[in-house]
Amino acid sequence: MHQIVDRRLNGRNKSAVNRGRFIRRYRSQIKKAVADAIAGRSIADIDNGEKISIPARDISEPVFGHGQGGSRERVHPGNVDFITGDELDRPPNAGKGKGGGASNSGEGMDDFVFELSREEFLNFFFEDLALPNLVKTQLATLAQHKMVRAGFTADGTPSNINVIRSLRGAQGRRIALSSPYRAQLKQAEEALEALLKTAPDDPQVVELEQEIARLKEKILSFPFIDTFDLRYNNRIPQPRPTTQAVMFCLMDVSGSMDQERKDIAKRFFILLYLFLTRAYEKIQLVFIRHHTVAMEVDEEDFFHSRESGGTVVSSALDLMDEIIRQRYPSSDWNIYAAQASDGDNWTDDSPLCRDLLIGRIMPCLQYFAYIEITPEQHQSLWMEYQNVQAAYPNFAMQQIETQADIYPVFRELFKRRVS
């Protein structure tokens, strides 16, 4: 009897297929566990993975077990210590299972702990979010291409051989090259048949038989298929329409925005930035900070600059409108905006903000999301923005009071909507 011991070590990603199957099968349980995990983590940890627990009763499935007795032989991958016939020491706590503890409801169950990677966690978190009204199509600056069939070619790789086309060409070649000999063969066979009926002993019978044999050999000498016959599927890159989108991020950094409110605004925009850069490869982001004066800044300054001042919200809207006119024509771009403020603004400036949005900005936009970060009563800016919301259904408003409101407000603003 031969004994085989497999001493190979487990390779990396060996269980990737099983892992993907498990995630697909228990998607609803994992999604619920992700939602519970999100409620307990900070915005700074959103870009990490997560260990989640799934009740064992939710993942139980029938199994086959061996009956008592019988002889079984097994090969355990990675085994470097034992061979058939070795005796194993009894574990020190054998027979003592680790239960889920007492339960006042009369039942208990161990949880199955499953660790999601960063990519898997973010996929579940952003699964049901989308930019609304992403409808305009235009070839992007970096055009995307897809490979399409474009007939056949005489050159190519073996994997692209078109068998039917090649055999059809080979058959046509054989017919064309052998047709003169087939005509001669037919005449010789008819002559031989007539001669055998009238004069079977005529010496021409032998000559005709030799000629027929030569013609048949000549016809068979043409190869069944030749390299000349091979045809390959031809594929060419074809540009396909892709969607161009730009997101304007407007953040109030005035003196009325204390450090706690600025921190909430930054956390909201970090979440938005992470969502957009993951879900939309070609989207462009424009960052605008404002107090009494608005400035277009880069990502680093937007999230980390500490400047402060008074509050003139219309300065940010004016700058946004100017950038749209110069760089992002609404006929070619899907334009979005998200604004964060505490609602504090010069009383005379709030009507100007309303007029800018209704008259110039909103007709160009697909969606505008405004969040007001304040636990207090709404001020003049919120009141004027209500008029904008009444005029444009693609204008959304939400209030954030504490950091705990960031996730629910974000999901409400950007949840996937049925067209």
PDB file of all heavy atoms in Angstrom, residues 313-314 317 345 348-362 380-381 383-389 391-392 395:
ATOM      1  N   VAL A 313     -21.708  84.214   1.591  1.00  0.00           N
ATOM      2  CA  VAL A 313     -21.889  82.949   0.870  1.00  0.00           C
ATOM      3  C   VAL A 313     -21.949  83.176  -0.631  1.00  0.00           C
ATOM      4  O   VAL A 313     -21.506  82.339  -1.426  1.00  0.00           O
ATOM      5  CB  VAL A 313     -23.165  82.239   1.364  1.00  0.00           C
ATOM      6  CG1 VAL A 313     -23.422  80.958   0.581  1.00  0.00           C
ATOM      7  CG2 VAL A 313     -23.041  81.916   2.851  1.00  0.00           C
ATOM      8  N   SER A 314     -22.476  84.318  -1.055  1.00  0.00           N
ATOM      9  CA  SER A 314     -22.628  84.556  -2.491  1.00  0.00           C
ATOM     10  C   SER A 314     -21.290  84.581  -3.211  1.00  0.00           C
ATOM     11  O   SER A 314     -21.227  84.340  -4.422  1.00  0.00           O
ATOM     12  CB  SER A 314     -23.366  85.880  -2.733  1.00  0.00           C
ATOM     13  OG  SER A 314     -22.617  86.976  -2.212  1.00  0.00           O
ATOM     14  N   LEU A 317     -20.786  81.123  -4.535  1.00  0.00           N
ATOM     15  CA  LEU A 317     -21.686  80.831  -5.646  1.00  0.00           C
ATOM     16  C   LEU A 317     -21.275  81.593  -6.895  1.00  0.00           C
ATOM     17  O   LEU A 317     -21.372  81.075  -8.022  1.00  0.00           O
ATOM     18  CB  LEU A 317     -23.121  81.173  -5.249  1.00  0.00           C
ATOM     19  CG  LEU A 317     -23.695  80.368  -4.066  1.00  0.00           C
ATOM     20  CD1 LEU A 317     -25.106  80.840  -3.732  1.00  0.00           C
ATOM     21  CD2 LEU A 317     -23.698  78.875  -4.366  1.00  0.00           C
ATOM     22  N   ASN A 345     -25.082  84.079   7.699  1.00  0.00           N
ATOM     23  CA  ASN A 345     -24.729  84.860   6.525  1.00  0.00           C
ATOM     24  C   ASN A 345     -25.245  86.291   6.713  1.00  0.00           C
ATOM     25  O   ASN A 345     -26.172  86.533   7.496  1.00  0.00           O
ATOM     26  CB  ASN A 345     -25.358  84.238   5.270  1.00  0.00           C
ATOM     27  CG  ASN A 345     -24.801  84.843   3.990  1.00  0.00           C
ATOM     28  OD1 ASN A 345     -23.675  85.333   3.957  1.00  0.00           O
ATOM     29  ND2 ASN A 345     -25.604  84.816   2.928  1.00  0.00           N
ATOM     30  N   ASP A 348     -28.461  90.679   4.026  1.00  0.00           N
ATOM     31  CA  ASP A 348     -28.660  91.179   2.668  1.00  0.00           C
ATOM     32  C   ASP A 348     -28.075  90.245   1.611  1.00  0.00           C
ATOM     33  O   ASP A 348     -28.420  90.360   0.421  1.00  0.00           O
ATOM     34  CB  ASP A 348     -28.016  92.567   2.520  1.00  0.00           C
ATOM     35  CG  ASP A 348     -28.701  93.613   3.394  1.00  0.00           C
ATOM     36  OD1 ASP A 348     -29.871  93.385   3.760  1.00  0.00           O
ATOM     37  OD2 ASP A 348     -28.062  94.651   3.713  1.00  0.00           O
ATOM     38  N   ASP A 349     -27.189  89.342   2.025  1.00  0.00           N
ATOM     39  CA  ASP A 349     -26.534  88.463   1.050  1.00  0.00           C
ATOM     40  C   ASP A 349     -27.366  87.214   0.762  1.00  0.00           C
ATOM     41  O   ASP A 349     -27.242  86.628  -0.316  1.00  0.00           O
ATOM     42  CB  ASP A 349     -25.149  88.055   1.574  1.00  0.00           C
ATOM     43  CG  ASP A 349     -24.334  87.301   0.531  1.00  0.00           C
ATOM     44  OD1 ASP A 349     -24.061  87.874  -0.540  1.00  0.00           O
ATOM     45  OD2 ASP A 349     -24.006  86.123   0.790  1.00  0.00           O
ATOM     46  N   SER A 350     -28.202  86.788   1.694  1.00  0.00           N
ATOM     47  CA  SER A 350     -28.973  85.556   1.500  1.00  0.00           C
ATOM     48  C   SER A 350     -29.931  85.643   0.316  1.00  0.00           C
ATOM     49  O   SER A 350     -30.020  84.702  -0.485  1.00  0.00           O
ATOM     50  CB  SER A 350     -29.731  85.197   2.787  1.00  0.00           C
ATOM     51  OG  SER A 350     -28.816  84.895   3.825  1.00  0.00           O
ATOM     52  N   PRO A 351     -30.693  86.752   0.133  1.00  0.00           N
ATOM     53  CA  PRO A 351     -31.522  86.852  -1.083  1.00  0.00           C
ATOM     54  C   PRO A 351     -30.687  86.810  -2.364  1.00  0.00           C
ATOM     55  O   PRO A 351     -31.138  86.280  -3.389  1.00  0.00           O
ATOM     56  CB  PRO A 351     -32.225  88.198  -0.916  1.00  0.00           C
ATOM     57  CG  PRO A 351     -32.236  88.443   0.557  1.00  0.00           C
ATOM     58  CD  PRO A 351     -30.945  87.872   1.051  1.00  0.00           C
ATOM     59  N   LEU A 352     -29.470  87.381  -2.317  1.00  0.00           N
ATOM     60  CA  LEU A 352     -28.599  87.327  -3.487  1.00  0.00           C
ATOM     61  C   LEU A 352     -28.211  85.878  -3.810  1.00  0.00           C
ATOM     62  O   LEU A 352     -28.151  85.492  -4.987  1.00  0.00           O
ATOM     63  CB  LEU A 352     -27.353  88.177  -3.231  1.00  0.00           C
ATOM     64  CG  LEU A 352     -26.322  88.233  -4.369  1.00  0.00           C
ATOM     65  CD1 LEU A 352     -26.957  88.746  -5.650  1.00  0.00           C
ATOM     66  CD2 LEU A 352     -25.136  89.121  -3.968  1.00  0.00           C
ATOM     67  N   CYS A 353     -27.960  85.066  -2.767  1.00  0.00           N
ATOM     68  CA  CYS A 353     -27.651  83.645  -2.971  1.00  0.00           C
ATOM     69  C   CYS A 353     -28.831  82.931  -3.632  1.00  0.00           C
ATOM     70  O   CYS A 353     -28.658  82.112  -4.542  1.00  0.00           O
ATOM     71  CB  CYS A 353     -27.321  82.985  -1.637  1.00  0.00           C
ATOM     72  SG  CYS A 353     -25.824  83.589  -0.842  1.00  0.00           S
ATOM     73  N   ARG A 354     -30.040  83.255  -3.160  1.00  0.00           N
ATOM     74  CA  ARG A 354     -31.237  82.648  -3.749  1.00  0.00           C
ATOM     75  C   ARG A 354     -31.346  82.995  -5.227  1.00  0.00           C
ATOM     76  O   ARG A 354     -31.599  82.122  -6.075  1.00  0.00           O
ATOM     77  CB  ARG A 354     -32.461  83.142  -2.990  1.00  0.00           C
ATOM     78  CG  ARG A 354     -33.799  82.666  -3.560  1.00  0.00           C
ATOM     79  CD  ARG A 354     -34.913  83.585  -3.139  1.00  0.00           C
ATOM     80  NE  ARG A 354     -34.664  84.950  -3.647  1.00  0.00           N
ATOM     81  CZ  ARG A 354     -35.181  86.054  -3.106  1.00  0.00           C
ATOM     82  NH1 ARG A 354     -35.948  85.981  -2.030  1.00  0.00           N
ATOM     83  NH2 ARG A 354     -34.907  87.239  -3.635  1.00  0.00           N
ATOM     84  N   ASP A 355     -31.160  84.281  -5.555  1.00  0.00           N
ATOM     85  CA  ASP A 355     -31.284  84.705  -6.945  1.00  0.00           C
ATOM     86  C   ASP A 355     -30.201  84.078  -7.825  1.00  0.00           C
ATOM     87  O   ASP A 355     -30.461  83.720  -8.989  1.00  0.00           O
ATOM     88  CB  ASP A 355     -31.201  86.235  -7.028  1.00  0.00           C
ATOM     89  CG  ASP A 355     -32.383  86.914  -6.335  1.00  0.00           C
ATOM     90  OD1 ASP A 355     -33.423  86.229  -6.158  1.00  0.00           O
ATOM     91  OD2 ASP A 355     -32.246  88.098  -5.949  1.00  0.00           O
ATOM     92  N   LEU A 356     -28.970  83.966  -7.297  1.00  0.00           N
ATOM     93  CA  LEU A 356     -27.894  83.321  -8.066  1.00  0.00           C
ATOM     94  C   LEU A 356     -28.240  81.871  -8.389  1.00  0.00           C
ATOM     95  O   LEU A 356     -28.033  81.401  -9.517  1.00  0.00           O
ATOM     96  CB  LEU A 356     -26.587  83.382  -7.272  1.00  0.00           C
ATOM     97  CG  LEU A 356     -25.779  84.676  -7.344  1.00  0.00           C
ATOM     98  CD1 LEU A 356     -24.643  84.651  -6.328  1.00  0.00           C
ATOM     99  CD2 LEU A 356     -25.226  84.867  -8.749  1.00  0.00           C
ATOM    100  N   LEU A 357     -28.766  81.153  -7.405  1.00  0.00           N
ATOM    101  CA  LEU A 357     -29.099  79.748  -7.619  1.00  0.00           C
ATOM    102  C   LEU A 357     -30.257  79.594  -8.600  1.00  0.00           C
ATOM    103  O   LEU A 357     -30.193  78.790  -9.543  1.00  0.00           O
ATOM    104  CB  LEU A 357     -29.434  79.082  -6.279  1.00  0.00           C
ATOM    105  CG  LEU A 357     -28.245  78.783  -5.371  1.00  0.00           C
ATOM    106  CD1 LEU A 357     -28.717  78.381  -3.978  1.00  0.00           C
ATOM    107  CD2 LEU A 357     -27.378  77.674  -5.965  1.00  0.00           C
ATOM    108  N   ILE A 358     -31.324  80.349  -8.390  1.00  0.00           N
ATOM    109  CA  ILE A 358     -32.510  80.183  -9.227  1.00  0.00           C
ATOM    110  C   ILE A 358     -32.264  80.691 -10.644  1.00  0.00           C
ATOM    111  O   ILE A 358     -32.652  80.049 -11.631  1.00  0.00           O
ATOM    112  CB  ILE A 358     -33.713  80.924  -8.595  1.00  0.00           C
ATOM    113  CG1 ILE A 358     -34.120  80.236  -7.282  1.00  0.00           C
ATOM    114  CG2 ILE A 358     -34.890  80.962  -9.563  1.00  0.00           C
ATOM    115  CD1 ILE A 358     -35.289  80.911  -6.569  1.00  0.00           C
ATOM    116  N   GLY A 359     -31.595  81.821 -10.770  1.00  0.00           N
ATOM    117  CA  GLY A 359     -31.455  82.432 -12.081  1.00  0.00           C
ATOM    118  C   GLY A 359     -30.298  81.934 -12.914  1.00  0.00           C
ATOM    119  O   GLY A 359     -30.378  81.913 -14.148  1.00  0.00           O
ATOM    120  N   ARG A 360     -29.200  81.513 -12.294  1.00  0.00           N
ATOM    121  CA  ARG A 360     -28.001  81.212 -13.074  1.00  0.00           C
ATOM    122  C   ARG A 360     -27.431  79.818 -12.844  1.00  0.00           C
ATOM    123  O   ARG A 360     -26.933  79.190 -13.785  1.00  0.00           O
ATOM    124  CB  ARG A 360     -26.926  82.268 -12.759  1.00  0.00           C
ATOM    125  CG  ARG A 360     -27.326  83.669 -13.192  1.00  0.00           C
ATOM    126  CD  ARG A 360     -26.435  84.731 -12.573  1.00  0.00           C
ATOM    127  NE  ARG A 360     -25.021  84.555 -12.884  1.00  0.00           N
ATOM    128  CZ  ARG A 360     -24.050  85.313 -12.397  1.00  0.00           C
ATOM    129  NH1 ARG A 360     -24.347  86.309 -11.570  1.00  0.00           N
ATOM    130  NH2 ARG A 360     -22.795  85.088 -12.730  1.00  0.00           N
ATOM    131  N   ILE A 361     -27.461  79.331 -11.629  1.00  0.00           N
ATOM    132  CA  ILE A 361     -26.736  78.089 -11.327  1.00  0.00           C
ATOM    133  C   ILE A 361     -27.604  76.845 -11.485  1.00  0.00           C
ATOM    134  O   ILE A 361     -27.224  75.890 -12.176  1.00  0.00           O
ATOM    135  CB  ILE A 361     -26.131  78.165  -9.909  1.00  0.00           C
ATOM    136  CG1 ILE A 361     -25.071  79.280  -9.846  1.00  0.00           C
ATOM    137  CG2 ILE A 361     -25.509  76.827  -9.519  1.00  0.00           C
ATOM    138  CD1 ILE A 361     -24.442  79.466  -8.484  1.00  0.00           C
ATOM    139  N   MET A 362     -28.762  76.817 -10.866  1.00  0.00           N
ATOM    140  CA  MET A 362     -29.581  75.600 -10.868  1.00  0.00           C
ATOM    141  C   MET A 362     -29.982  75.140 -12.271  1.00  0.00           C
ATOM    142  O   MET A 362     -30.053  73.924 -12.514  1.00  0.00           O
ATOM    143  CB  MET A 362     -30.822  75.798 -10.003  1.00  0.00           C
ATOM    144  CG  MET A 362     -30.537  75.819  -8.504  1.00  0.00           C
ATOM    145  SD  MET A 362     -29.583  74.398  -7.917  1.00  0.00           S
ATOM    146  CE  MET A 362     -30.667  73.046  -8.358  1.00  0.00           C
ATOM    147  N   SER A 380     -31.311  82.949   8.041  1.00  0.00           N
ATOM    148  CA  SER A 380     -31.862  83.485   6.789  1.00  0.00           C
ATOM    149  C   SER A 380     -31.474  82.659   5.567  1.00  0.00           C
ATOM    150  O   SER A 380     -32.260  82.511   4.629  1.00  0.00           O
ATOM    151  CB  SER A 380     -31.380  84.928   6.600  1.00  0.00           C
ATOM    152  OG  SER A 380     -29.955  84.982   6.523  1.00  0.00           O
ATOM    153  N   LEU A 381     -30.269  82.084   5.558  1.00  0.00           N
ATOM    154  CA  LEU A 381     -29.831  81.324   4.383  1.00  0.00           C
ATOM    155  C   LEU A 381     -30.723  80.110   4.166  1.00  0.00           C
ATOM    156  O   LEU A 381     -31.095  79.796   3.033  1.00  0.00           O
ATOM    157  CB  LEU A 381     -28.367  80.900   4.550  1.00  0.00           C
ATOM    158  CG  LEU A 381     -27.715  80.255   3.326  1.00  0.00           C
ATOM    159  CD1 LEU A 381     -27.695  81.237   2.154  1.00  0.00           C
ATOM    160  CD2 LEU A 381     -26.301  79.777   3.643  1.00  0.00           C
ATOM    161  N   MET A 383     -33.834  79.784   5.058  1.00  0.00           N
ATOM    162  CA  MET A 383     -35.152  80.250   4.612  1.00  0.00           C
ATOM    163  C   MET A 383     -35.142  80.560   3.114  1.00  0.00           C
ATOM    164  O   MET A 383     -36.078  80.223   2.385  1.00  0.00           O
ATOM    165  CB  MET A 383     -35.562  81.501   5.399  1.00  0.00           C
ATOM    166  CG  MET A 383     -35.532  81.312   6.923  1.00  0.00           C
ATOM    167  SD  MET A 383     -36.517  79.904   7.475  1.00  0.00           S
ATOM    168  CE  MET A 383     -36.117  79.892   9.235  1.00  0.00           C
ATOM    169  N   GLU A 384     -34.083  81.221   2.652  1.00  0.00           N
ATOM    170  CA  GLU A 384     -33.998  81.534   1.227  1.00  0.00           C
ATOM    171  C   GLU A 384     -33.795  80.278   0.383  1.00  0.00           C
ATOM    172  O   GLU A 384     -34.326  80.167  -0.728  1.00  0.00           O
ATOM    173  CB  GLU A 384     -32.858  82.532   0.976  1.00  0.00           C
ATOM    174  CG  GLU A 384     -33.041  83.891   1.644  1.00  0.00           C
ATOM    175  CD  GLU A 384     -34.252  84.637   1.106  1.00  0.00           C
ATOM    176  OE1 GLU A 384     -34.737  84.302   0.009  1.00  0.00           O
ATOM    177  OE2 GLU A 384     -34.714  85.577   1.785  1.00  0.00           O
ATOM    178  N   TYR A 385     -33.029  79.331   0.922  1.00  0.00           N
ATOM    179  CA  TYR A 385     -32.796  78.082   0.175  1.00  0.00           C
ATOM    180  C   TYR A 385     -34.076  77.253   0.065  1.00  0.00           C
ATOM    181  O   TYR A 385     -34.213  76.439  -0.849  1.00  0.00           O
ATOM    182  CB  TYR A 385     -31.689  77.274   0.853  1.00  0.00           C
ATOM    183  CG  TYR A 385     -30.287  77.675   0.416  1.00  0.00           C
ATOM    184  CD1 TYR A 385     -30.076  78.789  -0.391  1.00  0.00           C
ATOM    185  CD2 TYR A 385     -29.178  76.946   0.812  1.00  0.00           C
ATOM    186  CE1 TYR A 385     -28.806  79.158  -0.787  1.00  0.00           C
ATOM    187  CE2 TYR A 385     -27.899  77.299   0.425  1.00  0.00           C
ATOM    188  CZ  TYR A 385     -27.722  78.413  -0.380  1.00  0.00           C
ATOM    189  OH  TYR A 385     -26.458  78.775  -0.782  1.00  0.00           O
ATOM    190  N   GLN A 386     -35.008  77.417   0.982  1.00  0.00           N
ATOM    191  CA  GLN A 386     -36.291  76.727   0.858  1.00  0.00           C
ATOM    192  C   GLN A 386     -37.032  77.184  -0.392  1.00  0.00           C
ATOM    193  O   GLN A 386     -37.743  76.392  -1.020  1.00  0.00           O
ATOM    194  CB  GLN A 386     -37.132  76.974   2.109  1.00  0.00           C
ATOM    195  CG  GLN A 386     -36.667  76.174   3.324  1.00  0.00           C
ATOM    196  CD  GLN A 386     -37.544  76.411   4.541  1.00  0.00           C
ATOM    197  OE1 GLN A 386     -38.055  77.514   4.746  1.00  0.00           O
ATOM    198  NE2 GLN A 386     -37.706  75.375   5.352  1.00  0.00           N
ATOM    199  N   ASN A 387     -36.880  78.444  -0.756  1.00  0.00           N
ATOM    200  CA  ASN A 387     -37.485  78.934  -1.994  1.00  0.00           C
ATOM    201  C   ASN A 387     -36.840  78.280  -3.216  1.00  0.00           C
ATOM    202  O   ASN A 387     -37.520  77.991  -4.206  1.00  0.00           O
ATOM    203  CB  ASN A 387     -37.339  80.457  -2.085  1.00  0.00           C
ATOM    204  CG  ASN A 387     -38.077  81.182  -0.977  1.00  0.00           C
ATOM    205  OD1 ASN A 387     -39.146  80.739  -0.545  1.00  0.00           O
ATOM    206  ND2 ASN A 387     -37.522  82.300  -0.504  1.00  0.00           N
ATOM    207  N   VAL A 388     -35.513  78.046  -3.141  1.00  0.00           N
ATOM    208  CA  VAL A 388     -34.821  77.362  -4.239  1.00  0.00           C
ATOM    209  C   VAL A 388     -35.321  75.925  -4.355  1.00  0.00           C
ATOM    210  O   VAL A 388     -35.568  75.413  -5.459  1.00  0.00           O
ATOM    211  CB  VAL A 388     -33.296  77.385  -4.020  1.00  0.00           C
ATOM    212  CG1 VAL A 388     -32.585  76.685  -5.177  1.00  0.00           C
ATOM    213  CG2 VAL A 388     -32.794  78.814  -3.869  1.00  0.00           C
ATOM    214  N   GLN A 389     -35.494  75.259  -3.214  1.00  0.00           N
ATOM    215  CA  GLN A 389     -35.976  73.877  -3.218  1.00  0.00           C
ATOM    216  C   GLN A 389     -37.390  73.786  -3.799  1.00  0.00           C
ATOM    217  O   GLN A 389     -37.729  72.822  -4.488  1.00  0.00           O
ATOM    218  CB  GLN A 389     -35.951  73.308  -1.799  1.00  0.00           C
ATOM    219  CG  GLN A 389     -36.256  71.826  -1.722  1.00  0.00           C
ATOM    220  CD  GLN A 389     -36.153  71.305  -0.299  1.00  0.00           C
ATOM    221  OE1 GLN A 389     -36.459  72.015   0.656  1.00  0.00           O
ATOM    222  NE2 GLN A 389     -35.712  70.060  -0.159  1.00  0.00           N
ATOM    223  N   ALA A 391     -38.575  75.666  -6.097  1.00  0.00           N
ATOM    224  CA  ALA A 391     -38.510  75.906  -7.547  1.00  0.00           C
ATOM    225  C   ALA A 391     -37.807  74.786  -8.297  1.00  0.00           C
ATOM    226  O   ALA A 391     -38.104  74.538  -9.470  1.00  0.00           O
ATOM    227  CB  ALA A 391     -37.800  77.235  -7.822  1.00  0.00           C
ATOM    228  N   TYR A 392     -36.875  74.084  -7.635  1.00  0.00           N
ATOM    229  CA  TYR A 392     -36.091  73.036  -8.291  1.00  0.00           C
ATOM    230  C   TYR A 392     -36.107  71.768  -7.441  1.00  0.00           C
ATOM    231  O   TYR A 392     -35.528  71.749  -6.348  1.00  0.00           O
ATOM    232  CB  TYR A 392     -34.648  73.494  -8.513  1.00  0.00           C
ATOM    233  CG  TYR A 392     -34.500  74.565  -9.562  1.00  0.00           C
ATOM    234  CD1 TYR A 392     -34.485  75.914  -9.214  1.00  0.00           C
ATOM    235  CD2 TYR A 392     -34.383  74.229 -10.911  1.00  0.00           C
ATOM    236  CE1 TYR A 392     -34.366  76.908 -10.175  1.00  0.00           C
ATOM    237  CE2 TYR A 392     -34.246  75.214 -11.881  1.00  0.00           C
ATOM    238  CZ  TYR A 392     -34.252  76.543 -11.512  1.00  0.00           C
ATOM    239  OH  TYR A 392     -34.125  77.511 -12.473  1.00  0.00           O
ATOM    240  N   PHE A 395     -32.819  70.210  -5.922  1.00  0.00           N
ATOM    241  CA  PHE A 395     -32.112  70.896  -4.836  1.00  0.00           C
ATOM    242  C   PHE A 395     -32.523  70.227  -3.521  1.00  0.00           C
ATOM    243  O   PHE A 395     -33.711  70.180  -3.181  1.00  0.00           O
ATOM    244  CB  PHE A 395     -32.492  72.379  -4.813  1.00  0.00           C
ATOM    245  CG  PHE A 395     -31.715  73.201  -3.815  1.00  0.00           C
ATOM    246  CD1 PHE A 395     -30.577  73.876  -4.196  1.00  0.00           C
ATOM    247  CD2 PHE A 395     -32.123  73.276  -2.492  1.00  0.00           C
ATOM    248  CE1 PHE A 395     -29.852  74.643  -3.288  1.00  0.00           C
ATOM    249  CE2 PHE A 395     -31.411  74.034  -1.571  1.00  0.00           C
ATOM    250  CZ  PHE A 395     -30.267  74.716  -1.964  1.00  0.00           C
TER     251      PHE A 395
END
